């Protein structure tokens, strides 16, 4: 259809809808969203009860209820319900906190309402809205184009084909394939070149991108951290299967009741499997995300906190991180270095800032800085045609009408402008050298008379006459020097990736005390093959004058060196590199495409804030490993002891309900682990999952725990002449005390309490659970739970056993943690194999689609129409915002 026919069919006009009509349409058609974001109580509850072992135990307990053992069955059911409730409450609260943080990331679009340009939330768009598309923006809905200026969109998210697709307003035949739909800009594509305006024809799941995103679903690729968790859980499930199977066979062979044997075997299996591991991990991540949000770091996916802690190399632009990010215009000089107002006027004429009422309200920072010093009452020549800036040419050209005829004005990177000029004065190179050495950002301006040129192409940018230079300054950020030192202390190598001149980057680095080992420019990078680039990377600190593809190539090469790479960028030219990095980091003021590509969004572009995130990631990983090592040491040892004892005793060493109660109390004490402090040496270097290490830890510390269990067995049988009930009471109390208190040994590689103190919540939780376990056999609950009252002398023996056990565990820890090179090599090999398996091109594309689809997600708490309607009403009162970070050159 012709553009006017589309407007008529949608009952709108080129001036857009009225605010009232937009509100009516969003109530009737719903918001421009693809999914809801938030915590689902049913999904969290489902994760708590979907364990096959737990379900099997419930079924078996129900059978025992119907065959007469009702008390045991009820007790088992109550304990399982408490365990599920504990995990559910912690994980649900954590997911609610994560959803609240995610909703702080806003995505906005410029829309024409009531004939005026306004900004509104993407969710508030409806069919019939007229939207403005600018370089670097993500197309917010399916749009029929009404006007274009050399518009090209990157539709690789939809078609898989990289590069920009040229767009026009001309209709295309019905049935035209998606990749050839030149009259439309599709949701999820990115404005690669130029600009345009169009009317929204489809929103939400009715768009082409919506269908793709819905087909992929919301399940994200597994991260290295999640892969490690799954491997660990699998290890314990296999161990539990072996133990439970052996116990069942032994007890059946000893002619014990089948129901009792099955319940006991299943209780052992449940006791050794990490039932609360998901809740521990989610609580740790949610606690970390809240702390990071307080420090102005928003995490789009909780597991990315762990990945952030793993990074050892950071690539970053210098603008706003190493510099203040406030670009100011300092001078306009002619080709000989003399001050020139004429060059300033040419720079204002060749400018992409959005100007309303003589004031710039949007555009890139350099153009905005020029308008900040524009003379009052300045009248610029009429603009006839424009070829917008793009990152390949690094130029913008316009044709303006002058009193002496039309003039082509070209402005851009000095290297790109000078190579299109003829007769460049020798003094110009001296001006450039001097300006770069002073740390100035330089834009060159050149002109050429033209006749009858109404459309500018790249071929017209030739035989130019250099008129002069525009000089800007972005001062080094003084706080960045301390941030760089802090990142170095965390074992993170910082590299600068910039489109600026290499001498400017070196000057900024020197002022901040950053040692520059080497510099590579874009042209030099193109001359290196992959092997030469890999060799050059370790001794290169600055990558200057690089294109988006070259940034991505550098990051890919660094990752091939088995490095965990983060990239911090905020411009449209950073999106590809953000996708290539292990952790993509952007800022709240970044272009849409950069924020979509990022895993983490900084509310403040500050390296110190990023260092906080790295420390928090490492702290969370360290605390997660504490729970893991607890589960594979004393907990495993106790369950192994129960399995062995069942083969030699004439009675079960502990009833199924007692095992589950022991496990519940133990897990409750571990819920405080996320609050624990972490030793400084554990934060200095990234840590990674190593299942081989965990397996060796289990085989080393498990027998130590079992040794003291067997000592307890001997004392109860021969020291106290215990029957079944007293034996179970003594071992219940001893096993709970040893497996709970050993956390104080395992949580640190230092001497506990003297050189490393636990957090107060962990200390209180552990001691409280041990005290509770010790008094349960003395309370009225003892009889229904199958306990007998221990003699007073037992508690004296218990203290001696626990103290001896903790001392021996400390000695064993010192022996175990003597690092061996072979173990380190195995750990690194495991990481390399994971990286190779999880970065296939198709997997990366699916990951990019899911990342981008998250911008059209809304909170779950309210109805979608109710959430979007206020945004429609607010947009009617809000002028188009000045976006400082968009379209950064």
């Amino acid at each position: 259809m012709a553009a006017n026919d589309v407007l008529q069919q949608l009952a709108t006009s080129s001036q857009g809808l009225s605010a009232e009509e937009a509100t009516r349409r969003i109530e009737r058609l719903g918001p421009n969203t693809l999914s809801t974001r938030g915590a689902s109580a049913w999904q969290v509850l489902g994760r708590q009860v979907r364990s096959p072992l737990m379900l099997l135990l419930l079924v078996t307990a129900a059978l025992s209820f119907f065959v007469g053992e009702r008390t045991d069955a009820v007790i088992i059911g109550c304990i399982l319900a408490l365990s599920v409730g504990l995990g559910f409450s912690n994980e649900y609260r954590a997911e609610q906190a994560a959803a609240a943080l995610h909703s702080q990331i806003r995505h906005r679009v410029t829309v024409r309402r009531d004939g005026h340009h306004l900004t509104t939330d993407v969710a508030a768009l409806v069919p019939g809205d007229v939207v403005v598309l600018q370089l670097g923006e993500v197309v917010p809905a399916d749009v029929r184009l009404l006007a274009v200026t050399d518009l090209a969109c990157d539709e690789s998210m939809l078609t898989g084909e990289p590069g920009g697709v040229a767009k026009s307003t001309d209709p295309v035949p019905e049935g035209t394939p998606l990749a050839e739909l030149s009259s439309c800009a599709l949701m999820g594509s990115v404005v690669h070149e130029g600009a345009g305006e169009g009317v929204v024809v489809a929103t939400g799941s009715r768009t082409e991108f919506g269908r793709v995103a819905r087909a992929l679903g919301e399940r994200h690729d597994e991260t290295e951290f999640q892969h490690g968790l799954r491997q660990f859980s699998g290890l314990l499930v296999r161990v539990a299967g072996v133990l439970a199977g052996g116990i069942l066979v032994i007890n059946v062979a000893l002619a014990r009741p089948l129901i009792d044997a099955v319940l006991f075997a299943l209780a052992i299996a449940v006791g050794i499997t990490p039932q609360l591991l998901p809740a521990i991990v989610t609580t740790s991540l949610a606690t970390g995300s809240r702390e990071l949000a307080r420090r102005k770091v928003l995490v789009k996916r909780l597991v990315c906190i762990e990945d952030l802690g793993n990074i050892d190399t950071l690539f970053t632009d210098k603008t706003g991180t190493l510099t203040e990010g406030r670009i100011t215009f300092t001078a306009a000089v002619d080709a000989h270095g003399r001050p020139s107002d004429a060059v300033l006027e040419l720079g204002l004429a060749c400018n992409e800032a959005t100007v309303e009422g003589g004031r710039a309200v949007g555009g890139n920072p350099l153009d905005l800085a020029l308008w900040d010093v524009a003379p009052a009452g300045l009248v610029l020549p009429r603009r006839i045609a424009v070829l917008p800036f793009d990152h390949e040419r690094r130029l913008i050209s316009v044709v303006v009408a002058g009193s002496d005829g039309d003039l082509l004005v070209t402005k851009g990177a000095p290297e790109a402008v000078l190579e299109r000029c003829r007769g460049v004065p020798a003094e110009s190179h001296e001006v450039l050298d001097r300006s770069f050495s002073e740390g100035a950002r330089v834009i060159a301006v050149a002109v050429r008379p033209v006749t009858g040129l109404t459309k500018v192409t790249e071929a017209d940018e030739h035989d130019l006459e250099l008129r002069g230079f525009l000089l800007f300054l972005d001062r080094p950020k003084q706080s960045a020097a301390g941030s760089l030192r802090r990142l170095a202390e965390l074992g993170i190598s910082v590299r600068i990736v910039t489109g600026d001149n290499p001498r400017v980057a070196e000057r900024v680095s020197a002022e901040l005390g950053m040692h520059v080992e080497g510099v590579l420019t874009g042209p030099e990078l193109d001359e290196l093959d992959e092997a030469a680039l890999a060799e050059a990377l370790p001794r290169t600190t600055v990558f200057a004058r690089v294109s988006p593809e070259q940034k991505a190539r550098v990051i890919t090469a660094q990752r091939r060196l088995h490095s965990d790479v983060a990239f911090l960028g905020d411009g449209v030219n950073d999106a590809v590199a953000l996708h290539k990095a292990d952790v993509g980091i952007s800022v709240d003021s970044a272009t849409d495409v950069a924020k979509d590509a990022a895993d983490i969004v900084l509310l403040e572009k500050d390296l110190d804030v990023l260092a906080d995130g790295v420390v928090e990631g490492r702290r969370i990983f360290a605390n997660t490993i504490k729970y893991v090592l607890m589960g594979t040491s004393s907990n495993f040892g106790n369950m192994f002891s129960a399995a062995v004892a069942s083969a030699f005793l004439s009675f079960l060493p502990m009833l199924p309900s007692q095992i589950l109660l022991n496990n519940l109390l133990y897990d409750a004490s571990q819920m405080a682990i996320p609050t624990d402090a972490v030793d400084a040496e554990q934060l200095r270097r990234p840590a990674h999952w190593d299942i081989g290490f965990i397996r060796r830890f289990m085989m080393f510390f498990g027998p130590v725990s079992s040794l003291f269990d067997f000592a307890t067995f001997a004392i109860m049988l021969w020291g106290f002449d215990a029957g079944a009930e007293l034996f179970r009471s003594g071992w219940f109390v001893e096993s709970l005390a040893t497996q709970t208190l050993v956390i104080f040994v395992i949580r640190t590689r230092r001497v506990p309490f003297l050189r490393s103190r636990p957090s107060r919540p962990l200390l209180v939780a552990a001691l409280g659970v041990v005290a509770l376990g010790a008094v349960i056999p003395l309370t009225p609950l003892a009889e229904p739970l199958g306990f007998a009252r221990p003699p007073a002398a037992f508690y004296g023996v218990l203290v001696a056993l626990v103290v001896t056990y903790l001392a021996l565990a400390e000695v064993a820890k010192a022996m175990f943690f003597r690092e061996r090179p072979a173990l380190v090599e195995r750990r690194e090999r495991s990481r390399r194999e994971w990286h190779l398996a999880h970065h296939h091109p198709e997997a990366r594309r699916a990951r990019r689609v899911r990342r981008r689809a998250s911008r059209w997600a809304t909170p779950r708490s309210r109805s979608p129409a109710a959430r979007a309607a206020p945004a429609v009403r607010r947009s009617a009162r809000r002028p188009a915002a000045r976006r400082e970070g968009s379209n950064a050159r």
Side-chain angles (χ1 to χ4, degrees):
M1 298 174 64
N4 287 334
D5 294 338
V6 175
L7 292 172
Q8 185 175 354
Q9 180 164 315
L10 291 171
T12 186
S13 73
S14 60
Q15 297 303 304
L17 300 170
S18 66
E20 292 75 15
E21 177 61 22
T23 302
R24 284 194 292 269
R25 292 193 184 191
I26 204 163
E27 290 173 349
R28 186 174 77 249
L29 301 173
N32 180 33
T33 59
L34 297 177
S35 63
T36 56
R37 181 197 308 117
S40 166
W42 289 111
Q43 289 178 359
V44 174
L45 182 62
R47 288 198 292 271
Q48 306 304 311
V49 300
R50 69 184 179 189
S51 163
L53 287 173
M54 186 172 287
L55 294 175
L56 200 55
L57 187 59
L58 278 172
V59 171
T60 312
L63 287 175
S64 69
F65 180 87
F66 289 111
V67 298
E69 299 183 13
R70 297 188 174 184
T71 302
D72 283 352
V74 170
I75 291 172
I76 290 171
C78 290
I79 292 172
L80 286 177
L82 284 172
S83 179
V84 168
L86 181 64
F88 170 80
S89 63
N90 278 278
E91 191 167 344
Y92 184 62
R93 285 202 311 269
E95 290 210 357
Q96 283 182 312
L101 291 174
H102 204 300
S103 65
Q104 294 183 37
I105 302 173
R106 312 300 296 173
H107 299 283
R108 308 194 67 78
V109 61
T110 301
V111 61
R112 194 190 290 269
R113 293 259 171 91
D114 296 312
H116 299 288
H117 285 129
L118 310 164
T119 60
T120 187
D121 195 283
V122 293
L125 287 182
V126 292
D129 266 327
V130 175
V131 296
V132 177
L133 305 176
Q134 296 178 330
L135 181 67
E137 292 183 343
V138 176
V139 179
D142 280 358
V143 172
R144 173 63 165 89
L145 295 169
L146 303 176
V148 298
T149 305
D150 295 301
L151 179 65
C153 293
D154 181 350
E155 298 177 345
S156 59
M157 197 70 69
L158 290 160
T159 65
E161 298 297 325
V165 177
K167 298 294 181 178
S168 74
T169 59
D170 299 331
V172 295
E174 187 174 350
T176 297
L178 188 68
E180 300 172 13
L181 206 59
S182 60
S183 60
C184 291
L186 303 174
M187 174 193 268
S189 62
V190 180
V191 179
H192 184 72
E193 295 176 21
E197 201 168 275
V199 60
V200 174
V201 296
T203 58
S205 58
R206 294 177 292 274
T207 62
E208 293 295 333
F209 181 78
R211 284 189 277 273
V212 173
R214 194 167 59 247
L216 282 174
E218 295 187 31
R219 185 178 181 275
H220 288 271
D221 293 338
E222 186 178 63
T223 67
E224 185 177 2
F225 174 69
Q226 291 170 315
H227 176 69
L229 279 178
R230 184 170 55 80
Q231 279 192 313
F232 166 67
S233 300
L235 169 67
L236 286 195
V237 166
R238 289 193 296 274
V239 171
V242 171
L243 280 179
I247 289 169
L248 184 61
V249 169
I250 290 171
N251 281 273
V252 170
L254 293 174
R256 289 172 181 161
L258 180 61
I259 287 290
D260 288 350
V262 171
L263 280 172
F264 181 69
L266 289 174
I268 289 290
V270 170
I272 201 172
T273 50
Q275 295 294 324
L276 283 189
L277 181 59
I280 291 281
V281 170
T282 307
T283 302
S284 293
L285 293 172
T287 302
S289 67
R290 286 194 297 270
E291 177 62 22
L292 288 178
R294 191 178 65 81
R295 301 183 185 189
K296 301 184 178 180
V297 180
L298 295 183
V299 182
K300 291 167 73 172
R301 291 177 61 204
L302 286 182
V303 292
C304 293
I305 299 177
E306 300 279 0
D307 295 334
L308 181 60
N310 287 341
I311 67 169
D312 52 44
T313 305
L314 170 67
F315 289 91
T316 178
D317 188 11
K318 64 178 180 61
T319 304
T321 50
L322 302 181
T323 65
E324 293 177 351
R326 292 192 297 271
I327 297 175
T328 55
F329 173 76
T330 57
V333 298
D334 63 18
H336 302 279
R338 297 185 296 263
S340 172
D341 291 338
V343 174
L344 174 59
E345 292 183 13
L346 288 172
L348 289 166
C350 185
N351 195 294
E352 290 184 282
T354 302
V355 180
E356 289 189 4
R359 185 173 65 90
V361 296
N364 72 76
L366 294 174
D367 284 346
L368 292 173
L370 284 179
W371 275 100
D372 286 342
V373 298
L378 175 68
V379 178
L380 294 175
R382 180 174 60 89
R383 182 180 293 186
I384 298 172
V386 59
L387 179 60
F389 178 92
D390 68 63
H391 294 282
E392 283 73 30
R393 291 165 39 249
R394 294 185 293 157
L395 299 171
I396 172 180
S397 291
V398 300
V399 175
V400 294
S403 56
D404 298 327
D406 296 345
L407 196 67
L408 174 69
V409 184
T410 298
K411 182 181 76 174
E415 297 91 335
V417 172
L418 292 182
E419 70 183 14
R420 291 165 171 81
C421 290
R422 51 181 175 78
V424 177
E427 296 95 328
S428 299
H429 297 286
E430 296 175 7
V431 172
L432 276 177
D433 289 340
R434 184 170 61 252
S435 301
F436 287 143
S437 64
E438 293 171 353
R441 297 184 67 171
V442 183
I443 298 296
V445 180
V447 300
R448 177 170 69 87
V450 293
T451 303
L453 187 62
T454 58
K455 180 178 176 60
V456 187
T457 67
E458 189 174 346
D460 297 313
E461 297 171 330
H462 64 86
D463 292 329
L464 302 173
E465 177 189 347
L466 180 66
R467 284 293 178 87
F469 304 101
L470 302 169
L471 308 182
F472 303 83
L473 188 61
D474 187 8
R475 301 180 187 282
K477 185 186 292 185
Q478 294 309 309
S479 63
S483 303
L484 289 170
R485 286 194 298 271
R486 188 177 173 204
L487 288 170
E489 291 168 358
L490 291 171
I492 298 173
S493 171
V494 179
R495 318 282 180 84
I496 299 174
V497 183
T498 179
D500 211 341
N501 186 274
R503 279 171 290 177
V504 175
E506 285 186 88
R507 170 67 181 262
V508 170
S509 302
E511 290 189 25
L512 295 175
M514 183 178 176
H515 176 62
V516 178
E517 287 190 59
V519 178
L520 273 178
T521 63
E524 291 168 344
L525 271 173
D526 287 337
E527 295 175 3
L528 301 177
D529 59 20
E530 296 307 317
L533 178 57
E535 186 179 344
L537 279 175
R539 57 176 188 271
T540 305
T541 307
V542 174
F543 300 86
R545 291 297 195 212
V546 288
S547 67
E549 291 74 19
Q550 288 168 333
K551 291 182 182 181
R553 184 185 172 209
V554 166
I555 287 172
T556 301
Q558 183 68 38
R559 291 181 66 236
R560 287 200 190 104
L561 298 178
H562 313 299
S563 178
D564 285 285
V565 178
F567 178 73
L568 196 163
D570 61 0
V572 61
N573 56 331
D574 295 324
V576 179
L578 285 165
H579 279 298
K580 293 288 186 182
D582 291 298
V583 181
I585 306 167
S586 193
V587 292
D588 195 38
S589 59
T591 56
D592 286 350
V593 66
K595 281 197 288 188
D596 282 341
D599 300 296
I600 291 171
V601 177
L602 306 181
L603 298 183
E604 185 177 303
K605 196 173 182 182
D606 189 334
L607 289 181
D608 212 39
V609 170
L610 182 59
D612 290 339
V614 172
V615 169
E616 193 63 29
R618 293 179 185 179
R619 189 189 69 81
I620 290 171
F621 185 85
N623 282 337
T624 302
I625 289 297
K626 291 174 188 177
Y627 178 82
V628 166
L629 297 182
M630 286 286 290
T632 55
S633 55
S634 60
N635 195 28
F636 164 72
N638 288 342
M639 297 302 102
F640 177 75
S641 302
V644 172
S646 67
F648 298 100
L649 295 173
S650 59
F651 52 84
L652 291 176
M654 206 182 286
L655 296 177
S657 58
Q658 294 168 347
I659 291 175
L660 294 174
L661 178 61
N662 184 295
N663 191 52
L664 174 65
L665 293 174
Y666 162 77
D667 276 340
S669 73
Q670 305 309 296
M671 290 302 296
I673 284 180
T675 69
D676 194 25
V678 177
D679 297 338
E681 60 268 21
Q682 290 182 268
L683 301 176
R684 290 192 191 117
R685 291 290 181 272
H688 304 279
W689 282 98
D690 182 0
I691 296 302
F693 168 83
I694 295 171
R695 189 186 301 114
R696 288 187 299 276
F697 191 92
M698 179 173 66
M699 300 310 296
F700 192 87
F701 279 87
V704 175
S705 177
S706 292
L707 180 65
F708 282 83
D709 288 333
F710 295 145
T712 303
F713 296 164
I715 291 169
M716 297 306 297
L717 289 172
W718 298 315
F720 293 101
D721 195 22
E725 290 186 345
L726 181 56
F727 180 94
R728 291 164 181 158
S729 298
W731 188 45
F732 175 88
V733 174
E734 181 272 341
S735 65
L736 182 62
T738 53
Q739 73 175 347
T740 301
L741 295 178
V742 79
I743 181 62
F744 301 124
V745 174
I746 288 174
R747 62 168 293 277
T748 177
R749 297 191 186 186
R750 301 177 181 179
V751 178
F753 294 102
L754 297 179
R755 297 188 58 204
S756 178
R757 296 182 180 180
S759 68
R760 183 170 297 178
L762 180 60
L763 181 64
V764 170
L767 295 179
V769 162
V770 171
L772 180 61
V775 301
I776 282 177
L778 308 177
T779 67
L781 291 174
E783 185 177 349
L785 289 172
F787 292 130
R789 186 185 185 92
F794 165 77
Y795 288 99
V797 173
L798 174 67
V799 171
L801 280 172
V802 170
V803 171
T804 306
Y805 169 66
L806 295 179
L808 184 59
E810 180 64 23
V811 172
K813 179 184 74 176
M815 295 171 58
F816 181 82
F817 281 114
R818 289 174 185 153
E819 192 66 286
R820 286 158 285 188
L823 301 186
V824 176
E825 173 56 31
R826 275 201 293 270
R827 190 179 308 169
E828 289 303 311
R829 186 164 60 246
S830 174
R831 288 185 57 234
R832 289 196 294 269
E833 291 169 356
W834 184 89
H835 271 283
L836 289 173
H838 285 77
H839 289 87
H840 187 274
E842 283 302 314
R844 284 200 303 270
R845 179 170 175 259
R847 178 188 179 203
R848 291 173 62 192
V849 171
R850 291 190 185 98
R851 274 181 177 176
R852 187 158 297 169
S854 68
R855 72 185 287 110
W856 289 280
T858 58
R860 194 187 296 274
S861 55
R862 294 160 57 197
S863 70
R867 283 189 295 270
V872 176
R873 291 192 292 271
R874 286 194 302 271
S875 70
R877 302 189 298 270
R878 184 185 298 116
R882 171 169 165 167
R883 290 178 300 240
E884 291 290 344
S886 65
N887 307 336
R889 292 296 178 255

